[in-house]
Amino acid sequence: MTSSLYLVNPAADFPTYFGAEILVASGRPSGVMMADLSTTTVAALAPDDLSIEIGDEGVAPVNFDHDADWICITGKVSQRRRMIAIADEFRRRGKKVIIGGPYASLSPDHLRAHCDVLVSGEIEEIAEELFADLRAKRPRDRYIGDKPSLATSPVPRWDLYPNHRAMLGAVQTSRGCPFECEFCDVIQYLGRKQRHKPIANVIAELDALWAHGFRATFLADDNFTAYRAHCKELLEAMAHWRRNGHEMDFVTQISIDATRDAELMDMLVEAGVHQVFIGIETPNLESLRETGKKQNLKIDIASEVQKLIDRGVSVMGGMIVGFDHDGPNVFSQQYEFAMSTPIPIYSLGALMASEATPLFDRITRDGRLLPGTVETQAVPWGSNIRPVTMSLEELNAGLHNLCNALYSPAAFGERMLNFIQSFGRARDLSDARLPDYQGFREVERQAIEIAGEVRRLGDAEGRMWNKVWGAALRKPATAKIVGRIMFQYAQARHMFDKGNYWEPQLAFAPPRREAAVEAAVA
């Protein structure tokens, strides 16, 4: 009898900056920002005689009546509560449950009681044994993977995934990061030695995504540009692939030190990397030293970001408050820094001590870990650390005000106008044309509709939207990315509303440069 698996990617426990919950909130069918790599990769590793179905709860409800022999659940810390709820419900119904993924790798003790089989670490080298044991109906209760060569990672089974409701495809070209940020959990389970997938394998995965209709893809690397020589070889191959009839856009994560290499930045543009996320964290130098963010020291971060914008690469920024060296003035300091940049979207959060990180160990030793609190920086409210220079209430109130200030229509609109004005000014954009939205897939057209509906959130939002979209129309090269950023703004506002975090007020000085920037764009 053929064994069967139901692979489940749970919904997030809460809306995030880079989610797509606004789709449902606006009355549209559910969808996700990024297609899921975990379930599709596991499906590709499974032998052909296993019957497999993939369920992504961000797209459709979990089928608790599924008749599969094994329910396989993956997830990150931001899915923790939902992972456990789904696992417990399936087990209540008599099903056998396997749990794996990043959270199972970092915090296995929290999941041990909720599954029959726990899989920690990376799966490629243990997949054959795991599936053989499942087929024989004699699995162990624990499997631990090591750090395999990415040459063994197969092309994901996108034929089993609901691609039509994912805005971005996903390809992982490397695992691991060479940096040592104290709060980051990546190196704890993926390692500091970055491993790279063979370039031919990456191109094969891009071919598969293209065949399934994706025209934008997330390069799911924690630091895409960490090893520049290899990165340049990959970018050259991607650029060649694009020139051969594959007009795909890419989004990825890089560190700010990439801007020291002008050739690398130019190659990002040629390869179609149009948007990057950079962990800026804070302009407070003592806090950067405290957390080991050495790559952000001894540079003018705003000027380095501008180098990317000038070439035509938009930037999303990560921002954290609540370091031990952050005084009560950190919120106004972060606001002023953000408003000096052409970065429209900032993910804001309080410092969080995730399990298995050096920060977690230090905070635990100091007796400052707050049990029973949130465990992830994916939301802008709450921390599990007792602050040094202010009360937890002051930290939360300051962060609340900072979120409202940076995402007020006037402040966000100013950064958007600044972005449009300087975008691509180091390149010739005279041939750029407005995008053909009719060629977009349904989920992408719905995202553009939501971006347009921002103007209906209020009078201030309407004025901001008119100025920003007018500026984008006058500079067609920015229109597609402005639409995507405006969707992200709608998602952020939804997230703030859902968390009772949105109040239309400014706790800091209002934007001062809007009129000058608007005139320059016009």
Side-chain angles (χ1 to χ4, degrees), residues 307-330:
K307 292 178 182 179
L308 289 161
I309 307 293
D310 288 347
R311 284 170 168 79
V313 179
S314 69
V315 176
M316 300 173 285
M319 189 176 281
I320 298 174
V321 294
F323 292 105
D324 290 356
H325 288 85
D326 284 350
N329 67 334
V330 68

Side-chain angles (χ1 to χ4, degrees), residues 3-4 36 45 49 65 71 77 121-122 147 155 182 187 206-207 217 358 419 481 503 509:
S3 296
S4 55
D36 181 54
L45 287 163
D49 64 334
D65 295 319
I71 310 301
V77 63
E122 301 173 51
K147 298 175 176 59
V155 175
E182 184 188 37
I187 61 176
L206 293 180
D207 283 334
T217 289
F419 163 72
I481 188 62
E503 297 173 19

Side-chain angles (χ1 to χ4, degrees), residues 209-465:
L209 288 170
W210 183 270
H212 283 94
F214 287 105
R215 298 299 178 262
T217 289
F218 179 60
L219 303 171
D221 295 37
D222 294 294
N223 193 333
F224 181 72
T225 56
Y227 287 89
R228 295 178 199 170
H230 175 83
C231 184
K232 288 178 180 180
E233 287 184 35
L234 176 56
L235 289 171
E236 185 176 6
M238 289 168 57
H240 177 76
W241 182 79
R242 290 182 88 244
R243 287 192 295 269
N244 279 276
H246 304 97
E247 278 293 317
M248 187 177 280
D249 295 331
F250 297 100
V251 182
T252 193
Q253 303 176 106
I254 69 173
S255 55
I256 194 65
D257 66 312
T259 59
R260 299 171 187 167
D261 191 326
E263 180 186 43
L264 177 61
M265 289 190 288
D266 290 336
M267 293 182 75
L268 287 169
V269 174
E270 288 300 311
V273 179
H274 69 84
Q275 192 173 43
V276 297
F277 177 88
I278 297 176
I280 291 169
E281 320 315 358
T282 178
N284 184 337
L285 298 182
E286 289 306 312
S287 294
L288 289 174
R289 292 189 183 98
E290 166 197 328
T291 199
K293 195 89 177 184
K294 299 175 183 176
Q295 62 270 33
N296 286 28
L297 291 168
K298 299 181 180 180
I299 57 172
D300 183 333
I301 295 178
S303 297
E304 297 304 301
V305 165
Q306 190 65 59
K307 292 178 182 179
L308 289 161
I309 307 293
D310 288 347
R311 284 170 168 79
V313 179
S314 69
V315 176
M316 300 173 285
M319 189 176 281
I320 298 174
V321 294
F323 292 105
D324 290 356
H325 288 85
D326 284 350
N329 67 334
V330 68
F331 309 105
S332 58
Q333 186 182 13
Q334 290 275 33
Y335 177 81
E336 289 298 327
F337 169 80
M339 293 308 298
S340 73
T341 72
I343 301 178
I345 298 293
Y346 278 95
S347 63
L348 311 170
L351 183 66
M352 195 73 55
S354 298
E355 249 187 337
T357 63
L359 177 63
F360 183 90
D361 293 341
R362 178 169 69 83
I363 296 301
T364 301
R365 287 195 306 271
D366 293 348
R368 293 167 50 208
L369 188 70
L370 300 173
T373 54
V374 292
E375 299 181 42
T376 174
Q377 288 163 317
V379 292
W381 45 89
S383 174
N384 62 352
I385 299 173
R386 183 177 292 108
V388 171
T389 63
M390 64 188 96
S391 68
L392 190 61
E393 290 73 23
E394 288 173 317
L395 174 64
N396 289 336
L399 184 55
H400 186 159
N401 289 337
L402 179 59
C403 287
N404 281 273
L406 281 182
Y407 281 91
S408 71
F412 175 76
E414 179 182 315
R415 297 196 305 280
M416 283 289 277
L417 291 173
N418 201 354
F419 163 72
I420 293 169
Q421 182 214 357
S422 58
F423 179 86
R425 61 188 176 188
R427 297 165 51 202
D428 180 7
L429 301 177
S430 58
D431 292 336
R433 298 290 182 267
L434 291 173
D436 177 14
Y437 294 115
Q438 295 304 312
F440 283 26
R441 296 177 302 144
E442 180 186 48
V443 68
E444 294 162 333
R445 289 197 299 272
Q446 290 168 349
I448 293 299
E449 291 169 1
I450 290 170
E453 290 167 5
V454 165
R455 65 186 184 275
R456 300 177 189 168
L457 293 175
D459 291 342
E461 288 84 352
R463 291 191 296 272
M464 177 270 289
W465 190 93

Side-chain angles (χ1 to χ4, degrees), residues 454-504:
V454 165
R455 65 186 184 275
R456 300 177 189 168
L457 293 175
D459 291 342
E461 288 84 352
R463 291 191 296 272
M464 177 270 289
W465 190 93
N466 287 333
K467 292 175 183 177
V468 168
W469 192 242
L473 291 177
R474 292 189 294 274
K475 193 171 184 178
T478 67
K480 183 190 290 188
I481 188 62
V482 165
R484 287 175 176 163
I485 294 172
M486 200 64 79
F487 173 84
Q488 290 179 288
Y489 178 78
Q491 169 70 13
R493 285 286 299 269
H494 168 66
M495 179 181 68
F496 294 151
D497 284 336
K498 194 77 173 176
N500 296 316
Y501 225 66
W502 180 253
E503 297 173 19

